[in-house]
């Protein structure tokens, strides 16, 4: 992937969709700004977002504490008091809650700010802006980025504004923190394929949720359409989970997002074809989802476009179900990416043998 200004700006737009922070007013200044390095983009998002959060008030939560006190506060820990023999000195062990900013969400922000300051390729001006944020997080514990338990970070009305900020932090830790050089952590210049794959999938799902909620966009779990009367060991069948399923007027389109450095495979003869495993996968999804066997379910492999000369470009009907493979060029200007995504909606409007190519 090219890492020039266009694609870096598109990464921000993808994140805005993926982390549900897009504004219908479409007036976000970051979306139109040019960045020469991905680290600078992440730093800018954190600087602007955290400064906005500071004005609104940093997220606080009740933190449980245990201490030996001379006056009762909260709940008395009888066992602890007896064990420490605190009562003899007129003191008791109490458990109590403090409303503090030292929450897991703020700990993540502080750890990633420090990570970018120390090890990121961040412009001097933005590095200084990051440093100016740290005094506001003085009461927050600095933790190791590798110790963050991302699956425990939840969102509700009081901290929903943290969604994009922590999404950026997770991309920095998971996507930019894989290498160690002479004992010093060194952030990579571009996101790992795993991190980009996850972002790509999430972006596609949220794009259609934002622009086409009527299509009920979501990932789904499909059931195997097997003959129950002769089934043996059916519990050993693997789960079928779609990245994205769109539905309209009795028709279904299953989209499988693919982010690979090589979007085609080469056979022994040198012929380039769509990856066999990917094609078998999307065909299995479509055939099993088409319970009525009427061709109402289609399947599409949507690859992030690479720089290879040969790209997936497939549109066939296999046993009554339309199956295709095409690419999305993330290096294009955003209006072209959006137009390509909109053209995919026509799969739900065309019949099974229609040619969707414009």
């Amino acid at each position: 992937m090219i890492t020039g200004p266009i694609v870096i700006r598109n990464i921000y737009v993808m994140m805005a969709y993926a982390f549900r922070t897009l504004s219908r007013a479409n007036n976000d200044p970051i979306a139109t700004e040019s960045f020469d390095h991905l680290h600078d983009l992440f730093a800018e998002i954190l600087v602007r977002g955290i400064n906005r959060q500071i004005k609104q008030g940093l997220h606080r939560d009740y933190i449980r504490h245990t201490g030996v006190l001379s006056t009762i506060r909260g709940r008395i820990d009888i066992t602890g008091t007896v064990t420490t023999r605190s009562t003899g000195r007129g003191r008791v062990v109490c458990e109590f809650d403090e409303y503090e900013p030292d929450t897991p969400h703020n700990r993540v922000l502080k750890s990633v700010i420090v990570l970018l300051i120390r090890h990121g390729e961040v412009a001097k001006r933005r590095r200084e802006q990051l440093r100016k944020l740290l005094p506001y997080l003085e009461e927050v514990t600095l933790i190791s980025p590798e110790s963050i338990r991302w699956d425990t970070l939840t969102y509700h009305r009081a901290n929903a504004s943290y969604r994009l900020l922590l999404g950026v932090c997770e991309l920095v830790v998971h996507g930019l923190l894989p290498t160690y050089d002479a004992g010093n952590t060194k952030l990579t210049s571009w996101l790992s394929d795993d991190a980009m794959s996850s972002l790509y999938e999430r972006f596609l799902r949220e794009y259609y949720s934002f622009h086409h909620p009527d299509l009920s966009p979501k990932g789904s779990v499909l059931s195997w359409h097997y003959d129950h009367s002769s089934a043996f060991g059916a519990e050993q069948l693997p789960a079928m989970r779609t990245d994205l399923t769109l539905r309209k007027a009795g028709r279904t389109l299953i989209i499988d997002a693919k982010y690979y450095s090589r979007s085609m495979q080469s056979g022994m003869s040198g012929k380039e074809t769509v990856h066999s495993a990917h094609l078998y996968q999307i065909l299995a999804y479509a055939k099993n989802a088409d319970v009525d066997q009427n061709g109402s379910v289609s399947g599409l492999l949507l690859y992030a476009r690479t720089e290879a000369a040969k790209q997936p470009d497939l549109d066939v009907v296999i046993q009554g179900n339309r199956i295709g493979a095409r690419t999305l060029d993330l290096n294009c200007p955003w209006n072209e990416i959006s137009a390509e995504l909109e053209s995919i909606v026509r799969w739900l409007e065309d019949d099974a043998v229609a040619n969707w190519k414009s």
Side-chain angles (χ1 to χ4, degrees):
M1 281 284 179
I2 299 171
T3 58
I6 290 179
V7 73
I8 290 178
R9 188 162 61 244
N10 286 340
I11 289 293
Y12 171 70
V13 180
M14 290 171 68
M15 287 191 297
Y17 277 104
F19 301 112
R20 306 175 191 173
T21 58
L22 197 72
S23 168
R24 291 190 182 274
N26 197 27
N27 58 357
D28 192 331
I30 297 181
T32 58
E33 189 170 339
S34 180
F35 296 89
D36 294 325
H37 200 288
L38 192 62
H39 297 186
D40 265 337
L41 169 63
F42 289 160
E44 185 69 14
I45 295 173
L46 291 178
V47 166
R48 295 194 189 193
I50 296 174
N51 273 321
R52 189 181 307 117
Q53 197 63 52
I54 289 169
K55 292 178 182 178
Q56 297 173 353
L58 288 172
H59 173 245
R60 292 172 178 263
D61 209 344
Y62 287 100
I63 311 297
R64 177 58 57 90
H65 293 278
T66 300
V68 180
L69 308 177
S70 58
T71 57
I72 297 175
R73 184 177 182 185
R75 187 181 71 87
I76 298 175
D77 181 353
I78 297 176
T79 302
T81 299
V82 172
T83 301
T84 59
R85 298 180 180 177
S86 300
T87 53
R89 301 191 301 272
R91 299 168 69 84
V92 291
V93 177
C94 296
E95 292 183 352
F96 56 93
D97 294 331
E98 287 276 12
Y99 195 58
E100 302 175 354
D102 192 18
T103 66
H105 299 70
N106 288 329
R107 291 177 183 178
V108 171
L109 290 182
K110 185 172 183 176
S111 68
V112 173
I113 288 173
V114 172
L115 187 64
L116 283 171
I117 290 173
R118 293 177 178 174
H119 307 293
E121 294 183 46
V122 180
K124 182 179 179 181
R125 176 178 65 85
R126 290 193 177 95
R127 193 183 300 274
E128 289 303 314
Q129 290 175 326
L130 287 173
R131 286 197 178 97
K132 290 179 180 179
L133 296 175
L134 291 177
Y136 295 98
L137 298 168
E138 187 175 1
E139 299 177 65
V140 177
T141 303
L142 181 64
I143 60 176
S144 166
E146 294 90 343
S147 70
I148 299 171
R149 297 175 58 191
W150 301 98
D151 58 339
T152 64
L153 299 174
T154 58
Y155 301 94
H156 45 76
R157 182 176 298 180
N159 65 6
S161 55
Y162 275 66
R163 195 182 297 273
L164 176 61
L165 295 176
L166 296 193
V168 169
C169 292
E170 186 170 4
L171 284 175
V172 171
V173 174
H174 281 170
L176 300 177
L177 187 58
T179 60
Y180 293 87
D181 182 20
N184 293 320
T185 304
K186 182 179 180 182
L187 295 178
T188 58
S189 60
W190 191 248
L191 294 169
S192 67
D193 280 357
D194 284 346
M196 273 302 300
S197 179
S198 178
L199 176 62
Y200 180 54
E201 175 187 332
R202 191 168 180 176
F203 152 66
L204 291 176
R205 188 161 52 246
E206 295 300 331
Y207 175 89
Y208 288 107
S209 293
F210 186 82
H211 294 286
H212 297 281
D214 56 304
L215 303 181
S216 303
K218 62 180 180 179
S220 57
V221 178
L222 304 177
S223 299
W224 287 91
H225 188 46
Y226 60 84
D227 188 341
H228 289 265
S229 63
S230 61
F232 178 76
E235 69 278 359
Q236 295 183 7
L237 288 170
M240 292 187 291
R241 295 183 175 88
T242 71
D243 293 340
L244 174 62
T245 301
L246 306 178
R247 294 182 173 88
K248 180 179 181 181
R251 297 193 57 79
T252 299
L253 172 60
I254 297 172
I255 299 175
D256 205 58
K258 299 295 185 185
Y259 190 96
Y260 288 89
S261 56
R262 288 179 58 86
S263 55
M264 302 282 281
Q265 66 179 12
S266 298
M268 295 183 63
S269 63
K271 178 183 177 181
E272 291 189 283
T273 63
V274 175
H275 284 279
S276 301
H278 299 170
L279 189 58
Y280 300 154
Q281 176 190 21
I282 198 67
L283 181 60
Y285 285 0
K287 299 304 293 184
N288 283 279
D290 190 8
V291 178
D292 296 329
Q293 300 181 15
N294 58 7
S296 62
V297 180
S298 302
L300 176 65
L301 297 168
L302 187 56
Y303 291 87
R305 190 177 183 88
T306 67
E307 296 179 346
K310 188 74 173 178
Q311 296 289 325
D313 188 17
L314 175 72
D315 187 6
V316 295
V317 176
I318 301 178
Q319 298 177 342
N321 296 97
R322 186 178 179 188
I323 302 297
R326 64 192 293 182
T327 63
L328 183 65
D329 192 348
L330 300 176
N331 293 334
C332 285
W334 174 249
N335 63 319
E336 295 181 26
I337 295 175
S338 179
E340 191 73 11
L341 292 173
E342 291 300 314
S343 73
I344 292 174
V345 177
R346 290 203 294 271
W347 275 64
L348 290 167
E349 301 167 349
D350 298 342
D351 61 46
V353 294
N355 184 1
W356 50 263
K357 296 180 183 178
S358 56

